[in-house]
Structure formats: C-alpha cells, structure tokens
C-alpha cells in the first residue's frame, strides 16, 4: 500500500472511470463489459481504488462489485421505471431544493460522488452533463430555507456533499446554521463507505461545530465495513457527530435476513444506528436490483424480537411519483375484538391485549405546555 492510498484526493484522481481502466483491474464478465459499454452514455462510471480493492475479483455476485460495476440490464428501461422515480421535480421550487414534506427539505449541494452506485436513484442529477450546481444555486437554496420558517430540518445530499472541500462545505453549513429556524442538519453521504479517508480529524471537527448535525451514511453489506470504514465512522462519533445508516435492499446483493442482521450488528459495533432499509426505487435501469415488497417485510420479521431493537431499521418505500416515504412492517395484529386485541409474538404465539375502558387521550397539561412563552 502506498502512502498516497490514505489521501482522499489521490483516491479521487485515481478512480477508475472507463472500461479500459476497469479491465486492467478486474477480469470482467461479458455482462459487465457490455454493461460498461451500454451505460457509458447514460450514467457515470467511477470507483475509487479503495472501493475497488473490496471487490471479490473471482465472483461476479460480489456485493461490492454489483454496486460498482454496471451490467447490461442497467441500460434497459422497463415498464413503470421513471427518470424521476420519487417525483421530486414538482417539489423543486429552486434548483438546489426538494421540499416535499412540511417541515424539512432536501438540499442538493453537489452532483458528483466518490463512487457512482449502480443502484443510484437520483441518477438524473448525478449522471453528469447537467451543469455543476453553482455557487449561485447554493445561495438560492440557502435563501429558500431562510424565507421558509417551517423548515426546521435540512438534509444535505446530492451527489455527495462530502465531495466538497472543507471550506466550501463549511460555508454552506455556516449559512444554514445562521438561520434561526433550522433546528438540525443532516448530511447524506457514502464517503465513509467508498472514500473513508476523506473523514479526517479536520472534517470531523468541522461537522461537530455545526451540531446538531447527523451524518447519514449508506452501507449495504457487511463486506463494506472494513477497518478504514470503521475508523471513519468512529472518528465522527468520537467527535460528537451521530451517524445513522440507510441501506438499500437489493436483490442478490443483500436480500437476506442473515445479511441485513449482520450488517446491522456490524453498524452498531461501530456506533452507527441502522435507520432505514429502503425498498429499491423504480429508477430507470434498476429493475434487476428490485425485490418484491413482501421480501423486505419477511426480512424485518426475522429481525424484530430476534435481535436488538436498535438493529431493526425502518423498511421504507418511497412512493413512485412523489408521495413520499411510507414504512412497511409485519402485521402482528391477529384480531381486533370488542375490548381486546389479539396479537402474535415474534415467535408466532397468540397474546391478548385488553383495551382500556377510557379512550380519551387528550393531555390536559398540554394547554399550559404548548402555550409557554407565548
Ligand atoms: C427521505 C427524504 C427526506 C427525509 O425523510 P426522513 O423520513 O425525515 O428521514 C426529506 N426530503 C426528501 C425529499 C426525502 O426524500
């Protein structure tokens, strides 16, 4: 391992970005080679040397490999697939903002990534070709937040916001932090997974200085939790930056309860809390990654009760067309009866919950509490 290996800029400069470079590193299957050719005009290829080193060169179904190297299926658009699967464009008042929920916004800060995920759902933004988000667009985004007092939570994403230099990132965070109604900030990033050396002391300190700020990262398989990735996450947490994980459930990559459980345990061991398990969106070229909705529910059923509650993520379906996220869970209610509800336990046994007689749940003190300081 050379000295430059731990330098994130070296990793980006030396990222594999073409079929020819990739062929030199991995003996590709015919499907992968064709995938690189056929997706070349559709979506960027980019794999850091670090993430490339995690690939099992001997197995085409290596989960890291499947997330980083395209296959032919990715070049095909199937029925029902959408360029904008989450219907975000109609909630995009300015270029940098997606305002879909009442009290929080998605802030698109940058259009590039350390690794281009083959399952990317915002590939219309990260595909390249669209102009880089300019300083003017970022300013306009900040201005939007400033003039919308209902926005108490800003989720910065893109692209990967941690691709920004510390100075640019610091400027954006400072501008958002200066807005009194912004209570919390989140950064959605795959850097701890694909470019963990980016998370150095300086970055961790910078992020901590804008607390409450949460980093939401994106590990999909325990194979990605290396000593480097662990060091990146632990550095953030040690500095006081909570880290959450959102995984995407992908067919043949991590579509098994055993894998998701191991992933959750590996996350918790480095103090990363599993947050969402995302049902794959209906993004163009991603059908080969999609699992039936029932599969995710089955996986949750094999986690809940069987392991630490903190290890059980929310299974989220982001509704095609723009309805937002909803969560699915196994149904433990067997029967709603008169005065009682029958439920089943995680082991499948029946239990009776007697319902109370009184049903008025208004909190009398709330009249006082909600009016305080008014
Ligand atoms: C997922 C998402 C959020 C954040 O949702 P949470 O459930 O609060 O994590 C916000 N805005 C958009 C557009 C999203 O897709």
């Amino acid at each position: 391992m050379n000295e430059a290996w731990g330098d994130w800029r070296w990793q980006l400069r030396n990222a594999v970005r073409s079929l020819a470079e990739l062929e030199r590193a991995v003996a590709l299957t015919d499907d992968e080679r064709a995938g690189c050719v056929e997706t070349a005009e559709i979506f960027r290829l980019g794999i850091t040397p670090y993430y490339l080193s995690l690939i099992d060169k001997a197995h085409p179904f290596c989960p890291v490999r499947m997330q980083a190297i395209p296959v032919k299926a990715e070049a095909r658009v199937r029925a029902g697939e959408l360029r904008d699967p989450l219907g975000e464009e109609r909630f995009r008042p300015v270029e940098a903002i997606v305002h879909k929920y009442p009290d929080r916004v998605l802030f698109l800060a940058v259009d590039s990534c350390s690794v281009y995920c083959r399952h990317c759902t915002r590939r219309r933004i990260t595909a390249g070709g669209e102009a880089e988000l300019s300083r003017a667009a970022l300013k306009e985004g900040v201005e939007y937040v400033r003039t919308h007092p209902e926005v108490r939570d800003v989720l910065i994403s893109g692209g990967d916001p941690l691709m920004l230099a510390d100075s640019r990132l610091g400027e954006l965070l400072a501008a958002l932090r200066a807005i009194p109604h912004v209570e919390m900030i989140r950064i959605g990033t795959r850097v701890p997974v694909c470019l963990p050396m980016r998370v150095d002391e300086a970055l961790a300190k910078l992020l901590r200085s804008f607390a409450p700020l949460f980093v939401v990262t994106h590990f999909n398989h325990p194979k990605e939790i290396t000593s480097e990735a662990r060091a990146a996450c632990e550095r953030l947490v040690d500095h006081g930056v909570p880290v959450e994980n959102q995984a995407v459930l992908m067919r043949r990559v991590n579509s098994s309860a055993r894998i998701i459980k191991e992933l959750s345990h590996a996350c918790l061991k480095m103090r990363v809390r599993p947050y969402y398990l995302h049902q794959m969106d209906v993004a163009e070229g991603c059908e080969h990654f999609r699992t039936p909705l029932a599969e995710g529910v089955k996986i949750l059923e094999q986690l809940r009760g069987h392991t630490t509650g903190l290890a059980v993520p929310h299974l989220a379906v982001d509704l095609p067309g723009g309805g937002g996220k909803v969560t699915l869970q196994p149904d433990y209610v067997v029967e709603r009866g008169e005065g009682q509800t029958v439920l089943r336990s995680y082991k499948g046994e029946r239990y009776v919950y007697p319902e109370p007689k009184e049903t008025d749940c208004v909190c009398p003190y709330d009249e006082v509490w909600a009016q305080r300081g008014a």
Side-chain angles (χ1 to χ4, degrees):
M1 222 187 272
N2 54 27
E3 225 175 283
W5 187 263
D7 173 354
W8 67 278
R9 294 189 184 276
W10 180 90
Q11 289 280 339
L12 288 179
R13 271 199 308 279
N14 289 278
V16 163
R17 300 192 188 277
S18 69
L19 171 58
E21 288 166 1
L22 188 56
E23 293 259 36
R24 258 176 264 142
V26 185
L28 298 177
T29 64
D30 291 343
D31 192 15
E32 289 169 331
R33 194 171 303 108
C36 289
V37 172
E38 291 177 29
T39 60
E41 303 293 308
I42 303 173
F43 189 44
R44 283 168 173 161
L45 178 71
I47 314 171
T48 55
Y50 164 79
Y51 199 60
L52 192 67
S53 76
L54 306 187
I55 287 179
D56 185 337
K57 311 277 195 296
H59 206 306
F61 288 93
C62 162
V64 176
R65 183 169 179 152
M66 290 174 76
Q67 292 179 65
I69 301 178
V71 291
K72 268 170 86 123
E74 194 185 313
R76 244 168 271 148
V77 178
R78 314 290 175 113
E81 289 182 347
L82 303 167
R83 182 177 140 75
D84 175 19
L86 308 181
E88 292 180 333
E89 294 305 322
R90 66 190 170 97
F91 296 103
R92 216 169 155 186
V94 296
E95 193 188 357
I97 298 281
V98 178
H99 192 173
K100 187 184 282 187
Y101 299 101
D103 66 343
R104 55 209 188 280
V105 296
L106 183 68
F107 196 117
L108 305 170
V110 58
D111 73 348
S112 59
C113 290
S114 57
V115 166
Y116 290 94
C117 303
R118 303 332 300 180
H119 55 279
C120 181
T121 205
R122 290 209 181 89
R123 53 181 60 209
R124 71 186 191 285
I125 289 161
T126 51
E130 271 190 29
E132 173 101 24
L133 276 145
S134 61
R135 270 173 192 275
L138 294 187
K139 239 180 122 181
E140 187 186 32
V142 171
E143 206 42 46
Y144 181 87
V145 176
R146 201 195 319 278
T147 52
H148 287 78
E150 71 275 23
V151 177
R152 39 162 292 286
D153 172 11
V154 178
L155 171 50
I156 308 175
S157 182
D160 196 317
L162 297 189
M163 293 292 280
L164 294 170
D166 288 5
S167 56
R168 295 277 313 267
L169 182 64
E171 271 172 45
L172 175 61
L173 290 170
L176 291 169
R177 226 332 126 245
I179 301 170
H181 56 263
V182 173
E183 292 175 9
M184 59 181 274
I185 296 172
R186 291 185 275 179
I187 293 184
T189 176
R190 234 194 154 192
V191 151
V193 187
C194 300
L195 188 65
M197 45 294 281
R198 168 74 183 93
V199 185
D200 52 19
E201 288 283 314
L203 179 67
K205 283 189 178 135
L206 180 76
L207 296 180
R208 174 62 180 84
S209 72
F210 297 104
L213 179 154
F214 298 73
V215 164
V216 185
T217 190
H218 179 28
F219 290 96
N220 287 322
H221 194 282
K223 196 175 198 294
E224 296 170 326
I225 301 181
T226 62
S227 57
E228 290 95 329
R230 196 173 300 119
C233 294
E234 292 186 333
R235 185 165 294 131
L236 290 169
V237 179
D238 282 348
H239 279 82
V241 180
V243 183
E244 320 270 323
N245 188 60
Q246 35 188 358
V248 177
L249 183 59
M250 282 180 281
R251 195 167 70 87
R252 300 196 287 184
V253 174
N254 60 5
S255 49
S256 106
R258 204 204 56 71
I259 295 170
I260 297 297
K261 195 200 259 184
E262 188 187 332
L263 173 67
S264 287
H265 291 172
C267 281
L268 288 173
K269 281 193 276 182
M270 56 181 186
R271 288 170 286 159
V272 171
R273 166 80 217 271
Y275 178 39
Y276 279 134
L277 176 62
H278 290 284
Q279 174 71 22
M280 196 54 226
D281 296 327
V282 292
E284 288 180 347
C286 290
E287 186 173 293
H288 58 294
F289 282 128
R290 287 207 280 134
T291 54
L293 284 170
E295 202 60 34
V297 177
K298 255 198 265 173
I299 288 173
L300 281 205
E301 195 159 4
Q302 291 173 72
L303 298 185
R304 173 64 62 201
H306 298 278
T307 191
T308 309
L310 285 168
V312 186
H314 303 286
L315 175 62
V317 184
D318 215 332
L319 302 174
K325 294 179 189 70
V326 293
T327 54
L328 297 183
Q329 46 276 313
D331 191 358
Y332 296 101
V333 174
V334 177
E335 202 184 300
R336 282 176 220 276
E338 192 62 29
Q340 65 172 43
T341 300
V342 182
L343 301 101
R344 64 181 173 90
S345 74
Y346 73 98
K347 290 178 178 166
E349 305 147 336
R350 288 164 65 98
Y351 288 86
V352 174
Y353 182 88
E355 297 284 356
K357 291 259 165 2
E358 298 290 350
T359 55
D360 172 10
C361 294
V362 173
C363 298
Y365 187 69
D366 206 47
E367 267 184 45
V368 177
W369 184 248
Q371 294 307 311
R372 74 195 182 285

